[in-house]
Every structure is written in C-alpha cells, then in structure tokens.
Amino acid sequence: MEIKAAVVFETSGDFRIEKLELDDPRDDEVLVQIAAAGICHTDLAGRDGHLPIPPPPSVFGHEGAGVVEQVGSRVTKVKPGDHVVLAWDYCGECSACKQGKVLYCLNFFQHNFHGARPDGTITMHKDGRAIHGSFFCQSSFADFSLANERNVVKVPEDIPLPILAPMGCGVMTGAGAVMNSLQPRPGSSIAVFGVGNVGMSAVLAALVCGCTTVIAVDVHNDRLDLARELGATHTVNAKEVDPIEAVLAITGGGAEFSLECVGSPKVFRQAVDVLPRLGVCGLTGVVPPFTEVSLNMDLIMNGRTVKGILGGDAIPDLFIPKLIELYRQGRFPFDRLVTFYPFDEINRAVKDMETGRVMKPVLRL
Ligand SMILES: [Zn+2]
Ligand SMILES: [Zn+2]
C-alpha cells in the first residue's frame, strides 16, 4: 500500500515527507493507522548514525499510537478498530524474554535495529529502492506502520491517542525505572538527575510511590519550575550550585535513590556520589557505545548499588495499562510534558526538542 512517511536520506539530514510503498502484514503482523508519534532522542541518535543500524535512507519513529487497520491471519491479540500504543519488539524465545525481561532480549538488535524484519526482508520501498524501516518494529513517523503482534499494546478508547503516544518509550522508561526497578518505599528520598521527558516521568512515578523527598536536578530553570509544579519537593539547578552538596544538604546525608537520566559520565558520577550507604542509583541515560565512567570504589563497596535500567524494566503489555489508569485517576499527569506538532512540521519539532524548548514533541498524523 502507499503510505506517507518522514524519510532521512543522509546521516544527520533533515526529515523529508515522501510517498513510499509498505508491505502487507504477514501472519503475525499488525498494520496500524498512526494517529500520533512522539519524537525521542533515540530517533535522532538513529538519524545521526549513533546507533548500530544500517545506513540511510531510513524511517524512524518508535512512539507510535494509532488504530489497528488490518491484522495477519495468526494475530489474536488485537482486531481492526482497536486502539493501540506501539512499544519495542523482542523475540519472546530467549532466556531474557522467558524471564519476562523483554528489554534485555538477546535478539533485541534483530528485532529493533535491523532496518528490516528480523529475517532481513525490507518492508518499505520508494520507486523500487529499499528504505530501511522496522525501527523498533514500527517506524511510526508515517501514516501507516507495520508492527508485530508482540509490540502492540491495546489501550482504552476514551483517552485521545495523541496523548498516549509517548507511553511506548520515554514515559514508560522514566516511570518504570522508579516503579519497577528502584521500587522506593513510601517516605523515601530520591534525586532525579535530568528532568526531560524521562526524568520528569520518573518524578511523577516517585510521587505515585509515596516518596516524600523528590529532588529534581537539571540546568534548565523552566524544567525545574515544571518539576516543582508537578510535585517535586526540591529543585537544584546544577549550573548554579554543586548538585552533590545540594542533595546531601537537602536529605541530610544522601538520597536513598537516585536516577541518571542525562547520559553523561559526569552526571552519573554525581548521581552515585549523592547516595548514602545502601542507596541505589539507577542509570537510564543513553550514551554512545564504550563510554567509560570513573566511580569511587570504596563508596560502592559500602553497600551502594549501581543499576543499569533499560525501558524501565517494563513489560509493556502489563505496565502501560497501569500508567493509563494512574493518568485517568489524575495521579500521573504525564500529558503536561507533551507539545503537539502537525506531521509536516517534523523538522521544527525536532529543532524545538534539540534546543530544549519542548520536552516531548508529538506529531499528529
Ligand atoms: Zn528475546
Ligand atoms: Zn525512545
């Protein structure tokens, strides 16, 4: 079928809206008419050649939400007309998947970064030329997206799809890091380093968990203001004060939990250095491969834990419905992070995200 998609033709190039040919769904695939797609830093990492993916031309987008248009003959999870959010794909067969740790799937790359289906077949063409798609098994910067039964999550129809789009990656990553991985008990203290979309979702989740000291650390005052408005009890501008001293002073000796959401060795070190004994630091910030960090071994030896977290340790089918119910009850107002753009203004949306003007741009298709 003919679709309209935002194509990147050269590394670090602009997005160009083009007409492409999309394959029909196979037995286990789901064709989704995309209503909205969030833009995430991983899309831009792909555009800039920082991911282990095939070279352009490529279609990115991995926070799609839409309506099921057609399903393959073996699909039973959803039917045409269902509202769905698209998440990441996984194999379902490896040792990690069998433990329910689908984000740590041993075959994650073939299922998400192959530029094609796991078996290597390309799903998108332009005038006979192959276009790399299947990004996170969706490539949802397009009006139609081909997903797998595994990575579609059915969602309620009374909540507008454009609001739900960022659930599939950024929101799930930040909220899951707190609710699934760190699991702070009520009354705990937590410091979140970097309150963009992921960090702000973590702040909201910390409040849901009953943390009574929630410290947002960032260098942008507008983000810190929003964090406070959403319930953070303290804010620290790391450009103005030493964030380690500030967090130690606020907590009287250290935050029981910290979360690095920036992807910076310097910030990671800070997030570890604010922990008291038995404190846990979660790492969600994405860095280029082989990035190294130096840590105080003696400090870690004294009962501190450093924990890498992918995708909020979430099983999307189970976790996304929980977040939606919290949103419905007014306890998880993640829609406050979203700014909408028409699809053909994708380059403006990207620019606004890169300059920090907006937190989570969502394209309306
Ligand atoms: Zn797997
Ligand atoms: Zn993402």
Side-chain angles (χ1 to χ4, degrees), residues 93-116:
E93 303 293 333
C94 72
S95 57
C97 285
K98 288 205 188 298
Q99 293 177 63
K101 306 282 184 192
V102 297
L103 247 294
Y104 305 92
C105 173
L106 305 184
N107 301 306
F108 191 83
F109 280 74
Q110 287 94 309
H111 283 262
N112 294 278
F113 293 151
H114 217 201

Side-chain angles (χ1 to χ4, degrees), residues 25-40:
R26 288 186 176 174
D27 286 358
D28 57 349
E29 290 180 335
V30 178
L31 178 69
V32 178
Q33 180 167 21
I34 298 294
I39 304 175
C40 169

Side-chain angles (χ1 to χ4, degrees), residues 55-92:
S58 308
V59 176
F60 298 106
H62 64 287
E63 290 184 353
V67 179
V68 174
E69 173 78 12
Q70 201 186 326
V71 297
S73 59
R74 287 197 285 120
V75 172
T76 54
K77 188 182 185 181
V78 292
K79 58 182 190 309
D82 283 349
H83 285 204
V84 290
V85 164
L86 307 185
W88 325 274
D89 194 25
Y90 49 91
C91 78

Side-chain angles (χ1 to χ4, degrees), residues 34-353:
I34 298 294
I39 304 175
C40 169
H41 286 286
T42 310
D43 297 309
L44 308 185
R47 174 200 64 180
D48 295 338
H50 297 160
L51 294 178
I53 55 172
S58 308
V59 176
F60 298 106
H62 64 287
E63 290 184 353
V67 179
V68 174
E69 173 78 12
Q70 201 186 326
V71 297
S73 59
R74 287 197 285 120
V75 172
T76 54
K77 188 182 185 181
V78 292
K79 58 182 190 309
D82 283 349
H83 285 204
V84 290
V85 164
L86 307 185
W88 325 274
D89 194 25
Y90 49 91
C91 78
E93 303 293 333
C94 72
S95 57
C97 285
K98 288 205 188 298
Q99 293 177 63
K101 306 282 184 192
V102 297
L103 247 294
Y104 305 92
C105 173
L106 305 184
N107 301 306
F108 191 83
F109 280 74
Q110 287 94 309
H111 283 262
N112 294 278
F113 293 151
H114 217 201
R117 294 184 178 99
D119 69 3
T121 53
I122 297 265
T123 61
M124 292 178 170
H125 291 85
K126 179 167 178 60
D127 307 324
R129 179 186 182 191
I131 307 283
H132 289 124
S134 305
F135 189 62
F136 285 91
C137 195
Q138 49 180 291
S139 287
S140 48
F141 293 161
D143 55 359
F144 286 89
S145 172
L146 209 46
N148 191 282
E149 180 170 27
R150 282 182 301 266
N151 72 318
V152 298
V153 178
K154 196 176 165 186
V155 294
E157 291 174 21
D158 60 320
I159 298 176
L161 282 165
I163 292 175
L164 296 181
M167 278 282 174
C169 179
V171 171
M172 182 157 59
T173 294
V178 175
M179 294 167 66
N180 299 324
S181 311
L182 299 181
Q183 298 190 12
R185 283 180 297 277
S188 307
S189 54
I190 184 168
V192 179
F193 286 75
V195 283
N197 169 62
V198 170
M200 204 71 88
S201 300
V203 165
L204 293 173
L207 294 164
V208 168
C209 290
C211 291
T212 44
T213 303
V214 179
I215 308 167
V217 184
D218 205 294
V219 293
H220 299 289
N221 276 325
D222 51 339
R223 290 186 175 188
L224 294 172
D225 290 346
L226 179 61
R228 200 176 269 274
E229 216 178 293
L230 293 174
T233 57
H234 301 78
T235 55
V236 172
N237 187 325
K239 244 187 192 163
E240 294 167 3
V241 298
D242 178 346
I244 300 171
E245 278 175 25
V247 172
L248 293 177
I250 291 165
T251 52
E256 295 164 89
F257 298 92
S258 67
L259 192 63
E260 204 277 359
C261 306
V262 178
S264 147
K266 184 180 157 198
V267 176
F268 184 30
R269 172 79 197 243
Q270 293 168 346
V272 174
D273 285 352
V274 300
L275 297 176
R277 289 188 171 200
L278 304 180
V280 184
C281 171
L283 172 63
T284 68
V286 178
V287 290
F290 309 113
T291 303
E292 299 199 344
V293 63
S294 77
L295 296 173
N296 181 333
M297 274 175 76
D298 176 47
L299 213 66
I300 294 173
M301 182 77 182
N302 277 277
R304 292 167 178 84
T305 302
V306 172
K307 191 175 188 203
I309 304 165
L310 284 181
D313 281 341
I315 298 174
D317 281 324
L318 302 178
F319 193 54
I320 288 178
K322 288 185 186 178
L323 291 180
I324 291 175
E325 186 54 29
L326 285 165
Y327 167 73
R328 200 198 296 278
Q329 293 183 12
R331 299 164 68 191
F332 187 73
F334 74 100
D335 57 321
R336 295 284 307 277
L337 318 180
V338 170
T339 307
F340 294 110
Y341 293 83
F343 184 41
D344 54 12
E345 292 186 25
I346 179 170
N347 289 305
R348 182 167 71 88
V350 165
K351 201 171 200 181
D352 286 354
M353 183 169 88

